[in-house]
Amino acid sequence: MAETQDYHIIEKFREMVEKRYDFIELKQRFDLPSSITEDVIDEIENYFLSTIYPPAQERKELEEAFKDLADYVKQPRKMWNLFGDMARALFKFGRHFMVALKAGMDSLDSFMGAKNFEAHMAEIANKNGILPPMSDEDFEDTMYQLPREDIEKFIHDVKSLFGAMVNTTLLAKTLDILDHVIHTMEKKPDVFPQKEIDGIKLGKVLLQKGYDLFSKYDEETKKHIVDFIYKNEMWYIDYVYKKKEEK
């Protein structure tokens, strides 16, 4: 018998994101600042759906990529194999080297934080006999059975990711570091497997898309965007809980 899998949750989540970033509804829901136009909303939604929540197969590739990236940060010996030593890295990238690297990894960790969330939702759906395709009501029923603190942590992870993306000065440094990493790895094919190189390139693409999007906006607009995304995601959770508890 068909079961609800993680990928069913991902596809349904994408559908629900599209619904809750509808500009007309958002204008009725919130007092949007003038800088948050329909074009800005469209770009945010596209960023969500092409990077944080791409179709299930692409998402799987990204998860593998970020796992490889995380391995480098968690294993200093692997990291210094790429940079030679700390003094050389600091000389090349300046005093922001570790901050920039950590900012990049924090943003990727935020992305990975969603994985357990999806697996738990699939588990709940199956326990309750909810089979694909899920209706909106099925999705919300399943979400409602998660511990609220888990959902709020997930939303904080999303906010952290966007927070890292809007710090475009630091993000530019992170991208420079990843360029150096990729270049070094490609020169040592006997040391670094092609799979790891491809994984880091894929991780860089996600960060580059964030940079391309947010570097267009001034600081105030970037702050409005992060605040608005957080507010909209929290609104949705409140809406789901209120609806279920009034039944």
Side-chain angles (χ1 to χ4, degrees):
M1 187 170 71
E3 278 197 334
T4 297
Q5 307 284 342
D6 292 13
Y7 71 87
H8 293 123
I9 302 291
I10 291 168
E11 295 304 335
K12 189 64 186 177
F13 197 99
R14 285 171 55 78
E15 196 185 307
M16 301 302 273
V17 166
E18 286 179 340
K19 287 181 179 179
R20 69 175 171 273
Y21 283 85
D22 176 83
F23 185 67
I24 293 167
E25 288 194 11
L26 285 169
K27 280 193 76 170
Q28 293 170 349
R29 195 178 300 152
F30 302 119
D31 182 17
L32 294 177
S34 58
S35 57
I36 306 290
T37 62
E38 187 165 6
D39 285 345
V40 171
I41 297 295
D42 285 347
E43 288 194 306
I44 290 169
E45 185 187 308
N46 288 336
Y47 183 74
F48 245 128
L49 297 178
S50 68
T51 55
I52 302 175
Y53 259 93
Q57 183 52 42
E58 286 177 44
R59 186 117 193 288
K60 194 173 175 188
E61 290 169 16
L62 281 172
E63 283 166 5
E64 287 296 316
F66 297 161
K67 183 176 169 295
D68 287 336
L69 268 175
D71 284 347
Y72 279 89
V73 172
K74 288 168 187 167
Q75 297 179 50
R77 192 182 298 171
K78 281 182 99 170
M79 180 61 72
W80 301 125
N81 202 8
L82 294 169
F83 292 100
D85 56 50
M86 175 67 93
R88 200 183 308 179
L90 290 172
F91 179 77
K92 181 172 176 59
F93 294 106
R95 62 191 176 84
H96 295 297
F97 171 72
M98 289 309 292
V99 180
L101 197 61
K102 185 175 184 308
M105 285 315 303
D106 283 352
S107 64
L108 300 178
D109 276 348
S110 301
F111 176 97
M112 293 299 286
K115 190 158 175 54
N116 291 339
F117 183 80
E118 288 145 16
H120 197 178
M121 279 191 74
E123 198 181 298
I124 291 168
N126 287 318
K127 198 167 89 177
N128 290 294
I130 293 173
L131 301 176
M134 293 179 97
S135 67
D136 292 1
E137 196 72 24
D138 287 341
F139 183 85
E140 289 171 357
D141 281 344
T142 305
M143 180 177 274
Y144 178 64
Q145 291 179 60
L146 288 168
R148 180 155 181 152
E149 59 268 26
D150 288 2
I151 306 175
E152 291 188 1
K153 182 188 178 304
F154 174 64
I155 294 170
H156 279 286
D157 284 344
V158 170
K159 187 183 183 187
S160 296
L161 178 56
F162 276 96
M165 294 297 112
V166 300
N167 188 342
T168 46
T169 305
L170 203 56
L171 192 53
K173 289 183 183 296
T174 307
L175 289 166
D176 281 348
I177 291 167
L178 287 179
D179 275 337
H180 174 85
V181 166
I182 292 163
H183 182 64
T184 303
M185 292 173 88
E186 286 180 332
K187 285 196 300 187
K188 299 179 179 177
D190 52 324
V191 178
F192 300 106
Q194 188 61 41
K195 177 181 172 291
E196 288 188 10
I197 299 171
D198 291 344
I200 288 175
K201 282 181 176 177
L202 202 52
K204 188 193 163 223
V205 167
L206 179 134
L207 298 179
Q208 184 69 54
K209 284 181 178 177
Y211 180 82
D212 293 343
L213 171 59
F214 291 112
S215 58
K216 295 187 298 191
Y217 302 124
D218 60 39
E219 291 305 315
E220 188 179 10
T221 302
K222 288 191 281 194
K223 182 181 181 304
H224 284 321
I225 289 170
V226 176
D227 289 346
F228 153 73
I229 290 166
Y230 179 71
K231 194 187 290 185
N232 195 37
E233 294 303 304
M234 289 302 287
W235 166 85
Y236 179 60
I237 299 311
D238 288 339
Y239 162 79
V240 169
Y241 269 73
K242 189 165 182 285
K243 192 163 87 169
K244 300 301 167 195
E245 283 163 5
E246 285 176 352
K247 273 189 172 180

